Amino acid sequence: LAELHRHRILHQGVHPGSIFYDPDSQQVTLVDFGAASQLGAEGGGTINLMDLGSALAYISPERTGRINRLVDTRSDLYSLGATLYELLTGAAPFQSADPMQVVHGHIARNPVPPKEIEASIPAVVSELVLKLLAKSPEDRYQTAVGVYTDLTECARQLVANSSIQPFSLGRKDRDGRLRTAQRLY
């Protein structure tokens, strides 16, 4: 994602089915670029939620078209958070047979922290996923590099200590772009 975002490309379809892992080469591949767009090319308008199918469980609040927000790279990070949530807990953060209930979850409900569902999940990993799933893009990670740096620290601690101790998230999460707030103050 960091490389895509560096080239100003939004994936707009990050979900478990768009990520492949080859255990032999330990290579992760991101596929399914059908919804990808150049940053700034999309209008943030409404989309047909029925066309999304199971991918609706991973869509960011701003991609639902139900809030007046532009879509940027942080939308992909929200979708990554929903994917990691499912990887850790076995279920997407918001589930319902009614697509509008899923959309409502993305926009207005907070997910149950992963640590409350699976006690073996380290607290900092649970916090990292919840930071990715923040409703407001300003409250999420701002860059994929920031997420990668924190995940790398988790992996380093796990290898060195067989556990992950709490640390301050987002220390290396710096976006060089000037972003104006989309809130009215």
Side-chain angles (χ1 to χ4, degrees):
L1 275 178
E3 190 63 21
L4 281 177
H5 294 169
R6 189 173 73 76
H7 290 286
R8 301 183 50 81
I9 297 172
L10 302 177
H11 188 278
Q12 299 193 92
V14 176
H15 59 84
S18 67
I19 301 170
F20 288 99
Y21 174 70
D22 180 0
D24 295 331
S25 67
Q26 295 189 354
Q27 192 74 17
V28 176
T29 304
L30 189 59
V31 298
D32 192 12
F33 286 83
S37 69
Q38 195 73 27
L39 184 61
E42 74 294 316
T46 60
I47 57 175
N48 187 347
L49 298 176
M50 298 305 151
D51 291 343
L52 291 173
S54 63
L56 181 61
Y58 312 95
I59 193 170
S60 69
E62 56 273 23
R63 278 211 58 230
T64 65
R66 302 315 192 259
I67 59 174
N68 189 21
R69 295 294 307 247
L70 294 176
V71 176
D72 63 25
T73 56
R74 297 171 294 185
S75 177
D76 282 346
L77 299 179
Y78 181 95
S79 298
L80 175 64
T83 300
L84 292 174
Y85 189 98
E86 182 171 335
L87 180 68
L88 293 169
T89 66
F94 307 107
Q95 300 177 57
S96 175
D98 179 4
M100 293 313 295
Q101 287 298 317
V102 176
V103 169
H104 174 74
H106 288 304
I107 294 171
R109 291 182 21 232
N110 290 321
V112 175
K115 180 142 185 71
E116 289 182 20
I117 296 170
E118 177 55 57
S120 65
I121 296 171
V124 72
V125 173
S126 184
E127 291 169 22
L128 182 149
V129 170
L130 292 177
K131 183 173 176 70
L132 286 165
L133 290 172
K135 302 302 175 198
S136 172
E138 290 82 11
D139 296 333
R140 288 180 208 143
Y141 278 93
Q142 301 301 293
T143 66
V145 171
V147 178
Y148 176 78
T149 301
D150 287 351
L151 287 172
T152 300
E153 175 60 17
C154 290
R156 185 198 67 74
Q157 285 191 32
L158 193 58
V159 169
N161 310 322
S162 298
S163 67
I164 302 172
Q165 298 303 311
F167 62 91
S168 180
L169 294 173
R171 294 176 295 182
K172 304 276 184 175
D173 190 29
R174 306 283 186 266
D175 188 0
R177 288 175 278 185
L178 176 65
R179 294 186 189 202
T180 57
Q182 294 181 32
R183 297 179 183 164
L184 179 62
Y185 292 96

